[in-house]
Amino acid sequence: MDALRLLIDGFGVAFQPLNLLAVVTGVMVGQIIGVLPGIGPASTIAILLPVTFSLNPTAAMIMFVGVYYGAQYGGTITSVLLSMPGESSSIMTTLDGYQMALQGRAGPALGIAAFGSFIAGTLGVVALMFMAPSLATVALAFGPPEYATLLVLSFSLVVYLTGRDRAKGAVSTLLGLWLAVVGVDLISGLPRFTFGQLKLLSGIPFVPVAIGLFGLAEVLASVREGRAGDLVRADLSLRGVLPTAADWLASRWAILRGGLIGFFVGILPGAGATAASMIAYAAEKRFARQPERFGRGAIEGVAAPESANNAAAVGAMVPLLTIGVPGSATTAIMLGGLLVFGLRPGPLLFQQQPQFVWGVIASMYVSNLVLVALNVAAIPAFVALLRVPRAVLLPSIVALAVVGVYSLENSVFEVWLALAAAAIGYVMNRQGYPAAPLVLALVLGKTLEESVRQSLLLSHGSLAIFVTRPLAAAFLVATAALVASSMLRRRT
Amino acid sequence: MPARDRPVALILLLLAAYTIAAARDMSYMQGRTPGPGFAPFWIGVGLAVASLAILIRRPTGPARAADSPASPATGSTSTLIATTAVTIMAVALAERLGMITALVFLLGGLVRIFGGSWRSAALTAVILPLGLYVLFGRWLQVPLPRGPWGF
């Protein structure tokens, strides 16, 4: 009942005009970038960060969540009409969505994706609402050893789940940790890896690195990618988009199962919406009476991954809000933004900033409503965006990134930093090094170092503190199991 | 290991060696607690192990981009170089010629490089810097660098 009372207060926050505007803007921007291949939610949120610094943290976070939500659905439109996923989390949707479009059923494919996203997203928010406060209460008992071992487990999970090449995932994480130690060591006052640059004494700022690594590097990657395919002609009127009763009947379990899988996979660090959509699709195919229909235009093949990717976006908010550990690049960038605002996500946030937390949770319900309304009524408008020439779009992203990064400190130094990060990001992308672990490690590296040092300070230098405290020991055992399973898998 | 993995793995190994060497100059332990060199030392060791693992493993086929769906590479290296050069030049000129002028140069140049018409280049190079000036310079009150002509 307490949660319901707090949620009602949260709706009071979410319905404030500025926050409502932030929801609508966020969802629309997310949709737009989801529709336009080549730039993802992480890049968009990174590029938007400087703009949102003029807002209050609640409105900024509400906008980020809207972008995250909107992007998950925006990618569907290109998947169905062009067989080209706007987001990696929409890859599975292309399999059946495009086939449906070729059969003249693009409208119901887009419709079921919108309604499925709405239902699964809303159920996800309900789960988040009841789960997050309890998790936050547990997390209140965390001391430095628990945080240190939890972070080690999170990094291991991210390496385990992102990409095929775990050695490269580990390198990416370690590079992020390396960047995190740059600057003056707060305990001894010794500068580390600053190479005589005064600007680096306070450490490597997160936002320019995120903008370079995601926004600018994605532009560079897009330069070498070609656009192919023509839009499939489709009836995208309100009537054409509404699924039939038979479509609903066929998709009902796919939506529920996809939502459930998406939410729980979303909670895991590193798994994210892409893994969720893939698992949901595979599960649906396994449950199907006629699995051979999948890949040939089965509506369940659209409903399951689309429900899963939206529910995963909600699930990813659970570790971010309750323990301050983001599970994906997008939530890591959100965490970086909140830190700039002076907010530290974690268990205390529920006690100290209830208006913020519950305002954001309530805004997720509103985001879902805005999303379904936009996608049932305004799909043709988003389809029109596909006609924006790439020659104009990509330079515009670069210009926005350059001015945005400059505005952080009113200094060109940060812009050079972003360009360097873009070059590194481009090489990483070409060589198959995932960028997400680097960003996560950059955001959390300092916390990990501080937690380890505080733990050893508490134990007078004894490493036993990490195995004698039950939760810390459990996190270490889980990490060891993960590493062992990864090594065994490689051998077999 | 695909041959193209080797140069990057070697660079990473060098970075690891440098990190371990630099960490040894910092203090590893201060009394019974970790000093400023503790974290860099272990990061260096981890980087060395991971990059060695990439260097010594058996060939497994071509490397693939892990984060993005596979897409055909149709753009040319010259486009990439031109994009980088124009961006670097624009940033280098931003403080001397002003941010708006640098953006005009950046946008005009990039639209042409990406195959846009002169008309698109001119329109983008005028409208977008103006929009960004209103957003950042006016609305967000960011003191954007001004050039010799006052903007």
Side-chain angles (χ1 to χ4, degrees), chain A residues 162-395:
Chain A
T162 48
R164 293 177 180 83
D165 194 329
R166 283 171 200 136
K168 288 181 177 175
V171 164
S172 183
T173 308
L174 288 157
L175 282 177
L177 291 174
W178 193 95
L179 292 174
V181 299
V182 171
V184 171
D185 172 42
L186 289 178
I187 296 178
S188 65
L190 190 82
R192 298 185 291 189
F193 308 115
T194 54
F195 307 104
Q197 289 285 332
L198 289 177
K199 280 267 189 187
L200 289 179
L201 286 177
S202 52
I204 295 210
F206 164 76
V207 181
V209 174
I211 290 179
L213 212 57
F214 287 93
L216 293 174
E218 276 188 35
V219 170
L220 289 178
S222 298
V223 171
R224 70 167 199 271
E225 288 171 7
R227 293 188 79 170
D230 294 318
L231 276 174
V232 175
R233 285 178 182 277
D235 173 13
L236 299 175
S237 64
L238 185 59
R239 226 185 138 133
V241 167
L242 290 178
T244 61
D247 291 334
W248 276 112
L249 209 63
S251 309
R252 65 197 194 283
W253 292 114
I255 291 171
L256 290 176
R257 272 193 290 261
L260 203 68
I261 290 171
F263 181 77
F264 285 103
V265 173
I267 291 176
L268 296 175
T274 306
S277 64
M278 287 177 175
I279 296 169
Y281 186 89
E284 214 45 51
K285 197 171 170 181
R286 206 181 174 89
F287 277 114
R289 283 193 194 141
Q290 296 168 292
E292 64 278 4
R293 284 177 49 247
F294 280 71
R296 294 177 184 170
I299 197 161
E300 307 95 290
V302 175
E306 282 304 312
S307 307
N309 65 27
N310 264 58
V314 182
M317 303 304 292
V318 174
L320 174 70
L321 290 174
T322 55
I323 45 180
V325 175
S328 65
T330 312
T331 45
I333 293 168
M334 286 184 196
L335 173 64
L338 289 177
L339 293 176
V340 176
F341 278 115
L343 282 179
R344 169 108 227 161
L348 287 174
L349 200 66
F350 278 80
Q351 292 179 357
Q352 293 168 350
Q353 303 277 351
Q355 280 219 317
F356 168 82
V357 175
W358 289 96
V360 170
I361 291 175
S363 79
M364 289 181 184
Y365 286 104
V366 186
S367 292
N368 269 321
L369 271 175
V370 173
L371 193 71
V372 79
L374 273 178
N375 284 297
V376 173
I379 287 181
F382 290 110
V383 172
L385 282 168
L386 288 169
R387 296 186 182 105
V388 172
R390 216 167 65 111
V392 172
L393 177 73
L394 297 180

